[in-house]
């Protein structure tokens, strides 16, 4: 980030109240010049006042040196300049002091009051001096010249520094405001960038979870069936060669299907390449879009899904209630995946148990239920010893809830297990 005005001031570090050493040197120079001017002007003042010349010089030097504190106390500088105006001293201090006052952050009423006092003081002093000069005969102009000279001189010594100071002050405030806005905008942009990075990281995590869930549903089901068929193949290889051949063909077909679907998913993930965060997010999003909106499963394939489980030795029954109709792609995919994962869990945890799959088409929703009975005794021929990742029920719940549906699962009183889900039709 860029350095703010306050940080920049602290970085430069001038003495006392000065923000810069250069500003301090400039004010000390002005104070010295003003002190010399007032000291010189103190000589005729001492002669006219009848006091020692040294006293007039010292008084003028002290009064002129007040200009050093113009940035800290501009009101004091202007008041001193007004006070010594009758002594015909401090013209430089009056001009510079009025400029500093107008450029400061003081209220406009204070600036206007002091400027008016200085204008009136200069006007009176100039009027008296010109009148005295005309009385002494040094000026032979008409009476009109006295007010003209007084007004012109007072305006010339007051208006330019006042207007210039107001302009410089307004410009300085504008620059400070722009600097503050720029700093604020930069902080907001940095905050937005951090939030965007957090959102991108959250999106990457969400998409990775979605793809992992999809791959789990797609691959785990087919691999589970392959394991079941392989176990059956091992059991009947010698007793029933024909059935063993059929099981081997099924294992090969399911393996090829699983590899094809897995290759398609991995191909999408690698299509955009890696190395850039934006590309990573884009590739994951594209993969999820292809997984969910591409050539995914639908309810028309549900009978084939149940048939695959039946071919693997599961006693499974499918019943459909209501008028069959088409749903949105994500609704049909979610319903299919719920049934698929529930059947996979039956293969894993209750192999050989009788299972019933129910699908109900309702007016504003679609409901599905997969319920299996109590599994056979441990060690039966139907048991294939399938491992469990523990993410099946979690993935089903996430899918259904994401569409605004309701998911319930748990054991039954008969010792089996039931998975139920209701998904809005729209």
């Amino acid at each position: 980030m860029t350095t703010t005005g306050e940080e920049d001031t602290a970085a430069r570090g001038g003495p006392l109240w000065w923000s810069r050493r250069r500003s301090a040197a400039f004010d000390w120079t002005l104070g010295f010049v003003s002190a010399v001017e007032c000291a010189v002007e103190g000589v005729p003042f001492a002669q006219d006042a009848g006091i020692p010349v040294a006293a007039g010089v010292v008084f003028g030097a002290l009064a002129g040196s007040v200009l050093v504190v113009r940035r800290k106390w501009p009101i004091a500088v202007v008041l001193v300049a007004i006070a010594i105006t009758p002594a015909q001293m401090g013209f430089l201090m009056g001009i510079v002091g009025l400029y500093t006052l107008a450029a400061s952050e003081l209220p406009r009423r204070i600036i206007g009051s002091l400027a008016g006092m200085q204008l009136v003081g200069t006007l009176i002093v100039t009027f008296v001096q010109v009148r005295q000069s005309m009385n002494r005969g040094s000026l032979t102009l008409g009476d009109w010249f006295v007010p003209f000279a007084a007004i012109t001189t007072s305006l010339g010594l007051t208006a330019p520094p006042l207007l210039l100071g107001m302009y410089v002050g307004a410009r300085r405030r504008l620059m400070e405001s722009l600097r503050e806005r720029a700093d604020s905008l930069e902080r907001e942009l940095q905050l937005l960038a951090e939030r965007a990075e957090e959102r991108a990281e959250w999106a990457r995590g969400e998409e990775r979870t979605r793809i992992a869930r999809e791959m789990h549903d797609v691959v785990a089901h087919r691999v589970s069936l392959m394991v079941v068929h392989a176990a059956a193949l091992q059991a009947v290889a010698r007793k029933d060669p024909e059935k063993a051949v059929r099981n081997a063909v099924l294992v090969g077909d399911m393996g090829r299907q699983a590899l094809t679907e897995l290759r398609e998913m991995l191909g999408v993930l690698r299509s955009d390449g890696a190395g850039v965060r934006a590309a990573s997010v884009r590739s994951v999003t594209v993969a999820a879009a292809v997984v969910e909106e591409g050539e995914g499963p639908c309810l028309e394939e549900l009978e084939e899904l149940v048939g695959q489980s039946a071919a693997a030795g599961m006693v499974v029954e499918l019943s459909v209630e209501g008028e069959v109709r088409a749903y949105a792609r994500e609704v049909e995919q979610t319903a299919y995946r719920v049934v698929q994962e529930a059947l996979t869990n039956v293969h894993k945890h209750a192999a050989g148990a009788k299972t019933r799959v129910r699908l109900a088409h309702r007016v504003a929703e679609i409901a599905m239920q997969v319920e299996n009975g109590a599994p056979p005794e441990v060690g039966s021929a139907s048991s294939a010893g399938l491992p469990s990742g523990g993410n099946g029920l979690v993935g089903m719940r996430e899918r259904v809830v994401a569409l605004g549906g309701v998911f319930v699962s748990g054991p039954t009183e008969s010792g089996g297990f039931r998975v139920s889900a209701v998904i809005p039709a729209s």
Side-chain angles (χ1 to χ4, degrees):
M1 292 179 58
T2 58
T3 306
T4 60
E6 296 179 355
E7 294 173 345
D8 193 25
T9 300
R12 289 190 293 262
L16 298 177
W17 58 82
W18 286 282
S19 60
R20 304 178 183 179
R21 297 183 182 277
R22 183 176 59 185
S23 300
F26 181 71
D27 286 353
W28 278 101
T29 302
L30 284 178
F32 176 76
V33 174
S34 177
V36 171
E37 176 202 359
C38 292
V40 173
E41 293 170 345
V43 175
F45 168 72
Q47 294 174 352
D48 294 339
I51 60 176
V53 175
V57 172
V58 172
F59 172 76
L62 292 176
S65 61
V66 176
L67 191 59
V68 175
V69 299
R70 69 184 184 94
R71 298 179 192 266
K72 184 67 173 179
W73 296 293
I75 297 179
V77 174
V78 175
L79 290 176
V80 171
I82 295 174
I84 63 176
T85 297
Q88 302 182 18
M89 294 183 184
F91 294 101
L92 176 63
M93 184 169 61
I95 295 174
V96 177
L98 187 58
Y99 162 81
T100 306
L101 179 68
S104 65
E105 301 290 339
L106 293 172
R108 292 295 179 86
R109 63 177 183 276
I110 297 178
I111 297 175
S113 300
L114 292 176
M117 292 172 60
Q118 185 166 342
L119 174 66
V120 172
T122 306
L123 178 66
I124 295 174
V125 171
T126 305
F127 185 88
V128 172
Q129 289 179 349
V130 174
R131 172 63 67 181
Q132 290 177 352
S133 298
M134 293 186 66
N135 292 336
R136 287 194 301 265
S138 56
L139 292 176
T140 57
L141 299 175
D143 293 339
W144 62 269
F145 182 74
V146 177
F148 173 78
I151 294 174
T152 303
T153 303
S154 59
L155 289 177
L157 295 177
T158 305
L162 178 65
L163 297 177
L164 181 61
M166 295 177 64
Y167 166 75
V168 172
R171 184 175 181 275
R172 182 186 300 132
R173 288 188 289 272
L174 176 62
M175 295 301 295
E176 291 177 355
S177 175
L178 293 177
R179 187 183 298 109
E180 291 177 358
R181 290 184 181 180
D183 294 339
S184 176
L185 179 60
E186 189 170 1
R187 287 191 294 269
E188 291 179 1
L189 290 177
Q190 185 178 11
L191 182 60
L192 290 176
E194 293 176 355
R195 291 181 177 176
E197 180 62 25
E198 293 176 357
R199 287 195 297 268
E201 186 64 29
W202 175 84
R204 286 194 291 268
E206 287 294 316
E207 299 301 339
R208 283 195 296 266
T209 301
R210 292 168 60 187
I211 292 177
R213 182 172 60 240
E214 191 69 26
M215 294 177 66
H216 172 272
D217 292 345
V218 172
V219 179
H221 177 73
R222 299 194 185 281
V223 173
S224 298
L225 293 179
M226 290 170 59
V227 174
V228 173
H229 282 293
L233 177 62
Q234 182 180 5
V236 302
R238 294 182 180 180
K239 298 179 181 180
D240 192 349
E242 293 183 0
K243 186 175 181 179
V245 171
R246 291 195 299 270
N247 287 341
V249 172
L250 289 174
V251 170
D253 291 341
M254 292 179 183
R256 282 188 290 271
Q257 292 175 2
L259 287 175
T260 299
E261 294 178 354
L262 182 60
R263 188 181 299 111
E264 290 177 354
M265 292 181 188
L266 295 178
V268 172
L269 288 175
R270 293 176 179 174
S271 61
D272 277 357
V276 182
R277 290 184 176 179
S280 175
V281 176
R282 186 170 59 254
S283 64
V284 174
T285 305
V286 171
V290 172
V291 166
E292 295 198 357
E293 299 181 2
E295 297 298 330
C298 59
L299 291 178
E300 295 179 356
E301 304 175 14
L302 196 60
E303 186 173 353
E304 179 183 355
L305 176 67
V306 174
Q308 292 175 353
S309 295
M314 178 186 294
V315 181
V316 57
E317 176 187 351
L318 173 63
S319 63
V320 179
E321 303 173 2
E323 182 181 355
V324 179
R325 64 182 188 275
Y327 299 91
R329 169 65 64 179
E330 59 271 14
V331 173
E332 293 203 12
Q333 287 181 355
T334 301
Y336 181 94
R337 295 302 188 197
V338 168
V339 176
Q340 182 186 54
E341 180 60 27
L343 293 176
T344 302
N345 287 341
V346 175
H347 285 293
K348 290 181 180 180
H349 307 291
K354 185 177 181 180
T355 306
R356 185 180 182 186
V357 179
R358 299 177 58 190
L359 185 67
H361 298 274
R362 300 171 182 171
V363 177
E365 60 189 15
I366 179 173
M368 65 228 64
Q369 184 182 88
V370 179
E371 181 179 353
N372 62 273
E377 297 181 0
V378 179
S380 65
S382 62
S383 178
L386 291 169
S388 175
N391 297 318
L393 295 177
V394 175
M396 285 190 284
R397 182 183 301 276
E398 290 176 351
R399 285 180 177 275
V400 174
V401 173
L403 296 179
V406 178
F407 179 84
V408 179
S409 63
T412 62
E413 296 180 357
S414 61
F417 198 85
R418 181 186 298 116
V419 172
S420 303
V422 179
I423 305 175
S426 57

